[in-house]
Amino acid sequence: MNAATDGLLAACESALAGVRQARQAFTPGLSLRETGTVAQVVTGIARVSGLPGAGQDELLLFPGDLYGMAFNLDEDGIGVVLLGDHAGVRVGDRVRRTGRVMDIAVGDGLLGRVLDPLGRPLDGGAAIDTGQRLPIERPAASIMDRAPVGIPLQSGLKVVDALIPIGRGQRELVVGDRQTGKTSIAIDTILNQRGQDVLCIYCAIGQRASSVARVVANLREHGAMEYTVVVVAAGSDAPGLVYIAPYAATSIAEHFMEAGRDVLIVYDDLTQHARAYRELSLLLRRPPGREAFPGDIFYIHSRLLERATHLSDERGGGSLTALPIIETEAQDISAYIPTNLISITDGQIYLSPSLFELGVLPAIDVGKSVSRVGSKAQRPSYRAVTGDLKLAYAQFEELENFARFGTRLDDGTRRIIDHGERIRACLKQPELAPVGVPAQIAVLLALSQRLFDPLPLAQMAQAERAVRDAAAMIPAALCRRFESDHKLADAERDAVIALARQALAGFAPTGQDPKASAP
Ligand code: ATP
Ligand code: MG
């Protein structure tokens, strides 16, 4: 025999020895595994027979690592919601029980990431494993564990912070027709949390991939991804994934809240969520009710939004503020899903397409918007100026329609309309440009002192900008007072008003030539 054959024999011997060793080390054990069979598959749904022990909401494993959730437990089988593409599932496929409910990775490792509701990365980054997981469906905090909403959550939008303030732990609905700036309001609020010690979750539900990509790009560009987690179930995903997305996102948020952090969560949008649930329910042959939605449609949203709260100090004092978004059709806020959500939440921001067309952006209709708890959390420095503002603006909105007919107006009415037009001009704001507290207070104080009233409307944009720029000169100690629980002293108010007056000195009052008034 030659040397090559010797070598081969020796290699075979050592491999055999390895196999022998492995066989000795192996102790056979019995593991009981319940398996069922796929009896029927339709879009997003499978019927499985032969799993009598499966529990409600239990995760079932299909071939190809596809998970499903046991949704309908009937005597002759189970209706399963598939959490992925149904195309690979065939009748007769084996289905295994997992003995657990759907859960998701939670923790600081998620910040800056974009993931799907199953916790799989969508940003091309490494697989996500934070070492901690929470079920996606969890009971909300009990009444005794909750504390009143007492700290404002600044949105950076003048009109919201002044007239419809939001508190940490509040649920504020953003409602409006399509393309009225709903997502922009939520994104601006996230951008404004930079440096505020508030973590943010943006949950895209059934949105177009292009709009989600735009949101993520905006968040990245403005440095907001550092403190944000994005959970995405796109419109093209399985309805099961779309349905579980907000629950998964809420568990991620709750983990932070229970660690004592302040968290903001945006659900964009719950109309798509309701539609996905309707689709699943109809496919599962649950009886349809109003607008073909199933009977428990109110419950799926209330149990989601009840999880947003402000925890008591004994539970760590964290908070979860929710901004659910709802899309209306032809401004019908009395449709089924919008009325449900309005009754569940603590107020709504209503976006009007007619204001949007007029270029009043953000297109918030102040008359139809309300914040039921946030106004109690508003800082005294704001409250001192916004009371009058709200009244003046409401009066203006009422009279505005008369003015449109070219009716002759008496001086008093004219003054109210002029002032209202300037309030509206001051509350306009471009997107992706949140305004800080000192600049907001300076503009609001200038408005309440009617410093803008003599200026022509055409100059309002520059005048408002000048007052905001002047706010940079407000001393840091005074800026801190704005955010404290103390009322502003008269001298402090006067100092800010003097700054605003100075900034407006270069603008010409109506009917005067700017050059003539310059010194
Ligand atoms: P959809 O119904 O498609 O979800 P939406 O209601 O979420 O739309 P956005 O996508 O936020 O609306 O905004 C619609 C358009 O209005 C966008 O092109 C956006 O750039 C513009 N827009 C929104 N807010 C402002 C603003 N304050 N200033 C200028 N443009 C704005
Ligand atoms: Mg949107």
Side-chain angles (χ1 to χ4, degrees):
M1 272 195 275
N2 61 24
T5 329
D6 280 351
L8 198 62
L9 268 178
C12 287
E13 275 298 323
S14 77
L16 264 177
V19 171
R20 257 184 232 117
Q21 213 174 354
R23 205 186 60 192
Q24 272 159 14
F26 175 74
T27 38
L30 270 183
S31 72
L32 216 62
R33 188 190 276 173
E34 227 177 287
T35 52
T37 323
V38 175
Q40 187 193 3
V41 198
V42 284
T43 322
I45 296 282
R47 280 203 72 78
V48 174
S49 59
L51 284 181
Q56 179 73 28
D57 283 350
E58 182 173 337
L59 267 190
L60 305 177
L61 185 61
F62 289 75
D65 265 350
L66 173 69
Y67 283 100
M69 231 163 51
F71 230 53
N72 266 15
L73 302 181
D74 302 329
E75 271 177 24
D76 53 343
I78 304 174
V80 182
V81 169
L82 296 173
L83 304 174
D85 193 4
H86 69 283
V89 183
R90 299 267 172 277
V91 171
D93 277 352
R94 293 245 163 234
V95 184
R96 260 178 46 201
R97 277 185 63 189
T98 62
R100 58 191 182 94
V101 291
M102 178 65 209
D103 57 8
I104 184 141
V106 295
D108 284 354
L110 295 181
L111 293 172
R113 303 297 305 264
V114 182
L115 48 136
D116 76 356
L118 297 174
R120 297 177 297 206
L122 296 175
D123 51 5
I128 293 166
D129 183 17
T130 54
Q132 283 169 292
R133 299 187 76 82
L134 280 180
I136 64 165
E137 293 267 12
R138 301 177 71 215
S142 70
I143 305 265
M144 296 309 287
D145 290 334
R146 296 175 185 233
V149 172
I151 304 170
L153 182 111
Q154 291 292 132
S155 69
L157 294 163
K158 285 169 285 181
V159 55
V160 174
D161 291 339
L163 302 178
I164 322 148
I166 303 171
R168 293 189 182 179
Q170 183 177 348
R171 297 153 301 175
E172 181 81 7
L173 187 68
V174 178
V175 52
D177 278 12
R178 55 178 300 279
Q179 287 289 305
T180 46
K182 303 181 296 296
T183 305
S184 303
I185 291 201
I187 297 307
D188 285 350
T189 310
I190 292 182
L191 295 190
N192 196 50
Q193 304 315 313
R194 201 179 159 71
Q196 303 292 315
D197 209 14
V198 176
L199 301 177
C200 303
I201 320 283
Y202 175 78
C203 179
I205 308 165
Q207 299 291 301
R208 285 185 308 275
S210 60
S211 40
V212 179
R214 207 185 64 200
V215 166
V216 175
N218 281 337
L219 292 175
R220 276 232 163 85
E221 197 179 311
H222 292 81
M225 278 309 277
E226 289 159 31
Y227 54 86
T228 304
V229 185
V230 178
V231 180
V232 181
S236 51
D237 282 333
L241 271 188
V242 176
Y243 166 68
I244 65 165
Y247 303 102
T250 309
S251 288
I252 295 174
E254 269 179 338
H255 171 78
F256 292 129
M257 169 176 77
E258 284 161 10
R261 312 287 303 261
D262 289 315
V263 192
L264 165 71
I265 187 163
V266 174
Y267 304 106
D268 192 3
D269 61 66
L270 290 185
T271 312
Q272 297 298 342
H273 183 241
R275 286 188 189 144
Y277 187 63
R278 173 170 64 183
E279 186 180 339
L280 293 175
S281 302
L282 290 175
L283 287 169
L284 285 167
R285 301 189 179 278
R286 291 186 178 180
R290 191 172 149 190
E291 292 180 24
F293 286 107
D296 59 345
I297 190 79
F298 184 90
Y299 173 60
I300 70 158
H301 285 152
S302 61
R303 75 166 189 259
L304 174 72
L305 291 167
E306 269 309 298
R307 291 164 72 180
T309 182
H310 179 203
L311 291 179
S312 63
D313 286 342
E314 294 82 54
R315 291 281 313 271
S319 70
L320 175 56
T321 313
L323 287 184
I325 296 178
I326 275 283
E327 183 183 300
T328 50
E329 274 169 28
Q331 305 177 51
D332 184 12
I333 44 174
S334 56
Y336 190 27
I337 302 299
T339 38
N340 277 356
L341 264 297
I342 286 172
S343 66
I344 295 168
T345 48
D346 310 308
Q348 75 272 354
I349 293 177
Y350 177 73
L351 291 159
S352 142
S354 27
L355 286 177
F356 194 93
E357 277 159 25
L358 287 173
V360 182
L361 293 169
I364 296 176
D365 185 330
V366 176
K368 285 188 185 159
S369 303
V370 60
S371 175
R372 286 188 208 105
V373 297
S375 41
K376 296 187 191 84
Q378 203 178 26
R379 292 286 180 231
S381 51
Y382 267 97
R383 218 175 297 158
V385 283
T386 53
D388 293 344
L389 202 69
K390 222 177 257 178
L391 188 65
Y393 198 61
Q395 283 177 333
F396 158 67
E397 284 191 322
E398 225 165 79
L399 291 173
E400 194 189 12
N401 290 334
F402 284 112
R404 219 171 273 158
F405 296 122
T407 338
R408 270 174 163 273
L409 302 169
D410 61 276
D411 279 355
T413 316
R414 186 78 256 161
R415 262 202 304 279
I416 292 175
I417 291 179
D418 283 350
H419 185 52
E421 282 174 336
R422 277 146 191 87
I423 298 177
R424 179 176 278 170
C426 277
L427 295 180
K428 280 189 194 172
Q429 196 170 324
E431 57 183 333
L432 306 175
V435 178
V437 175
Q440 288 200 16
I441 298 265
V443 172
L444 295 174
L445 270 175
L447 264 179
S448 71
Q449 295 300 308
R450 301 189 172 239
L451 299 187
F452 291 109
D453 287 11
L455 306 183
L457 263 183
Q459 287 196 17
M460 275 306 295
Q462 293 118 294
E464 187 262 347
R465 166 103 235 164
V467 173
R468 271 196 287 134
D469 289 345
M473 287 184 282
I474 300 175
L478 183 49
C479 289
R480 277 196 296 278
R481 290 269 294 168
F482 292 155
E483 302 203 38
S484 72
D485 285 333
H486 301 286
K487 260 178 98 166
L488 284 188
D490 286 347
E492 291 169 328
R493 262 172 70 100
D494 292 347
V496 180
I497 294 167
L499 270 178
R501 214 183 280 277
Q502 211 179 344
L504 293 176
F507 291 88
T510 320
Q512 280 188 25
D513 181 5
K515 286 186 200 89
S517 69

